C-alpha cells in the first residue's frame, strides 16, 4: 500500500492497520532525515500549511511546525487568542479566509470534540486533528505506538496500561484505538470517577489497583489529570490521587520487573509520576517527543500526496 485510505487525519478510528503501517514506514525514513546534519527535504515546497491552535500547546504545536519546515512546506501559525475569533468570527469563516490565501492543509487543535470533523465537511482543505476536546489526539497515539515499537520491536501482543484521567483524555481514546488495531492488549487504570462508563465496550480491561495493573503490563502510559476539563467534584483530592495512582520509585521497585514508562506531557511532577521515574532510563518520554516530529512529517507528507492542485 502506498497511499492512505483517508484524505484527512481526524481520528485513529478512521484509519486502517495498513494506514498505520504506512505512516510508520514513512516515519522511519523521515527519522533518518532529521538525524542528518541537514535535517530538511524539499518534498513539500509546493504546499502551504496553516496551524490553527484554539487551545494551549507546547509539544504538538512546535512538533507540527518543525515537521512542516523539515518538509520545506510554507507555514503560517494562527493563535485564536490574538485573532479576529475574539471579535466573533466563526470557525468556517476564519478557515475559509485563511484558505483563500492559497493554504492547502490545516492542522487544528480545538476545545470542542468533533471540531475537525465539522471543519472537514465545510471547507476545501486537508484537515489534521491536533486534539479536539476530550475526543481524539491521533498524532499523539501514532507517535506513542511508534515509540513502543521502537523500544520493544513490536506493538502486537504487548500489554499496555493507560493510567489516570481516562474520562477527559483524548490521548487515552486515540491510544486505545491505535493499540487495539495493532493487536496490543490494553487496560485502563484510574479512580472510578475518572473512567468512562462502558469503556469495556472498546475491548479494554479495567483495573482500579495501580500495582495490579503495573504487574500485568509491559508498558505504562501515565496521564495527567485534566483539571481544566472537569468539575472539581469528579475527583479525589490531588493528595488522594497521588497516594493511589502515582508511579514512584517504591512502586516500580516492588514490581521485580522492568516496564516501559510513557507520558504524553505536560507532566505534573509529583502527582501522577515522580521526577526520578519520569527521568529514569526506561522512561521514553523524550523519545516520544522526538519521534513526534518524524511521525507528523509522515502524516503530512502522505496527506499532501493526496491533494489535487
Ligand atoms: N502531548 C501534547 O499534546 O502536549 P501539548 O498539549 O503541549 O501539545
Amino acid at each position: 500500500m502506498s497511499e492512505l485510505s483517508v484524505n484527512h487525519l481526524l481520528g485513529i478510528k478512521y484509519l486502517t492497520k495498513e494506514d498505520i503501517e504506512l505512516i510508520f514506514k514513512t516515519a522511519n525514513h523521515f527519522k533518518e532525515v532529521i538525524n542528518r546534519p541537514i535535517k530538511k527535504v524539499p518534498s513539500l515546497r509546493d504546499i502551504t500549511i496553516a496551524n490553527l491552535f484554539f487551545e494551549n500547546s507546547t509539544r504538538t504545536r512546535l512538533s507540527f511546525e518543525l515537521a512542516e519546515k523539515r518538509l520545506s512546506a510554507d507555514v503560517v501559525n494562527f493563535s485564536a487568542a490574538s485573532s479576529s475569533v475574539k471579535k466573533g468570527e466563526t470557525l468556517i469563516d476564519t478557515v475559509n479566509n485563511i484558505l483563500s490565501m492559497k493554504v492547502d492543509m490545516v492542522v487544528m487543535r480545538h476545545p470542542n470534540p468533533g471540531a475537525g470533523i465539522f471543519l472537514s465537511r465545510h471547507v476545501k482543505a486537508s484537515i489534521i486533528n491536533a486534539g479536539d476536546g476530550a475526543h481524539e489526539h491521533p498524532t499523539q497515539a501514532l507517535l506513542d505506538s511508534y515509540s513502543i515499537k521502537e523500544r520493544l520491536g513490536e506493538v502486537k501482543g504487548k500489554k499496555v496500561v493507560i493510567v489516570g484521567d481516562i474520562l477527559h483524555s483524548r490521548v487515552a481514546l486515540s491510544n486505545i484505538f491505535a493499540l487495539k488495531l495493532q493487536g496490543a492488549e490494553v487496560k485502563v487504570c484510574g479512580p472510578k470517577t475518572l473512567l468512562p462508563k462502558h469503556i469495556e465496550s472498546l475491548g479494554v480491561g479495567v483495573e482500579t489497583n495501580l500495582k495490579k495493573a503495573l504487574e500485568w503490563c509491559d508498558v505504562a502510559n501515565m496521564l495527567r489529570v485534566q483539571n481544566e476539563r472537569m468539575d472539581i467534584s469528579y475527583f479525589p483530592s490531588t493528595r488522594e490521587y497521588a497516594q493511589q495512582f502515582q508511579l514512584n520509585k517504591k512502586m516500580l521497585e516492588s514490581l521485580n520487573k522492568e516496564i516501559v514508562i510513557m507520558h504524553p506531557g505536560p507532566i505534573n511532577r509529583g502527582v501522577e509520576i515522580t521526577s526520578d521515574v519520569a527521568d529514569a532510563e526506561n522512561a521514553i518520554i523524550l523519545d516520544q517527543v522526538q519521534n513526534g516530529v518524524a511521525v507528523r512529517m509522515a502524516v503530512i507528507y502522505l496527506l499532501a500526496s493526496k491533494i489535487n492542485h
Side-chain angles (χ1 to χ4, degrees):
M1 188 173 125
S2 61
E3 70 170 25
L4 294 176
S5 66
V6 291
N7 295 324
H8 311 275
L9 180 59
L10 302 173
I12 299 289
K13 66 172 168 279
Y14 305 108
L15 297 183
T16 63
K17 185 166 161 272
E18 290 72 28
D19 285 328
I20 295 182
E21 284 166 4
L22 178 61
I23 291 167
F24 287 0
K25 195 172 140 207
T26 312
N28 286 342
H29 166 69
F30 287 129
K31 188 155 179 175
E32 272 178 43
V33 168
I34 58 183
N35 282 320
R36 291 180 198 154
I38 295 174
K39 305 174 181 63
K40 285 181 81 128
V41 284
S43 315
L44 298 191
R45 280 191 303 195
D46 57 340
I47 294 284
T48 304
I49 304 175
N51 300 314
L52 272 61
F53 278 72
F54 291 83
E55 256 191 4
N56 295 342
S57 171
T58 298
R59 279 148 293 273
T60 311
R61 184 173 180 155
L62 290 179
S63 179
F64 267 112
E65 188 173 345
L66 276 171
E68 292 151 5
K69 288 180 170 169
R70 304 268 192 251
L71 289 166
S72 302
D74 287 326
V75 180
V76 286
N77 289 304
F78 167 96
S79 168
S82 57
S83 75
S84 289
V85 168
K86 292 283 168 201
K87 301 174 200 166
E89 193 164 28
T90 67
L91 179 60
I92 292 176
D93 278 344
T94 300
V95 174
N96 275 330
N97 276 267
I98 292 168
L99 295 183
S100 71
M101 294 182 241
K102 303 285 180 202
V103 166
D104 306 287
M105 190 180 283
V106 170
V107 174
M108 184 172 74
R109 169 166 289 191
H110 200 282
N112 293 342
I117 298 166
F118 171 77
L119 199 59
S120 71
R121 289 178 184 156
H122 290 91
V123 303
K124 288 198 172 77
S126 182
I127 310 294
I128 299 179
N129 176 10
D132 58 336
H135 179 225
E136 279 225 39
H137 192 349
T139 55
Q140 180 69 46
L142 289 168
L143 74 88
D144 288 344
S145 283
Y146 184 87
S147 302
I148 292 172
K149 192 168 157 67
E150 184 179 70
R151 179 57 74 112
L152 297 178
E154 214 31 278
V155 175
K156 190 174 176 186
K158 295 293 177 271
K159 294 178 176 166
V160 182
V161 64
I162 306 171
V163 181
D165 175 8
I166 312 299
L167 185 64
H168 302 99
S169 174
R170 54 196 175 208
V171 174
L173 194 58
S174 287
N175 260 280
I176 289 168
F177 290 140
L179 292 164
K180 296 287 298 174
L181 202 55
Q182 295 168 90
E185 286 183 60
V186 184
K187 281 189 181 180
V188 293
C189 176
K192 277 199 175 127
T193 50
L194 297 180
L195 297 175
K197 286 196 181 84
H198 314 302
I199 185 84
E200 298 96 331
S201 66
L202 298 178
V204 302
V206 175
E207 181 56 77
T208 52
N209 180 303
L210 179 63
K211 186 157 165 35
K212 280 190 188 164
L214 296 174
E215 279 168 348
W216 170 82
C217 76
D218 303 305
V219 178
N221 195 351
M222 305 303 296
L223 304 183
R224 182 177 64 88
V225 174
Q226 308 218 356
N227 289 308
E228 71 275 22
R229 294 196 200 285
M230 72 174 79
D231 180 330
I232 201 74
S233 64
Y234 267 113
F235 185 44
S237 70
T238 302
R239 193 162 59 89
E240 286 167 326
Y241 181 84
Q243 275 168 358
Q244 287 186 50
F245 295 100
Q246 181 185 79
L247 184 52
N248 52 40
K249 205 168 176 187
K250 190 172 157 214
M251 175 67 82
L252 265 191
E253 283 173 356
S254 76
L255 299 179
N256 293 321
K257 66 169 186 175
E258 198 160 279
I259 60 170
V260 176
I261 297 155
M262 303 176 72
H263 195 304
I267 299 174
N268 211 344
R269 286 173 187 260
V271 180
E272 71 273 13
I273 192 166
T274 51
S275 278
D276 48 3
V277 174
D279 301 332
E281 194 280 325
N282 52 330
I284 60 167
I285 297 168
L286 292 181
D287 298 333
Q288 291 170 257
V289 179
Q290 191 181 78
N291 288 334
V293 178
V295 168
R296 290 184 172 111
M297 285 173 83
V299 168
I300 293 164
Y301 176 82
L302 291 166
L303 288 177
S305 71
K306 301 194 81 178
I307 294 173
N308 298 317
H309 284 287

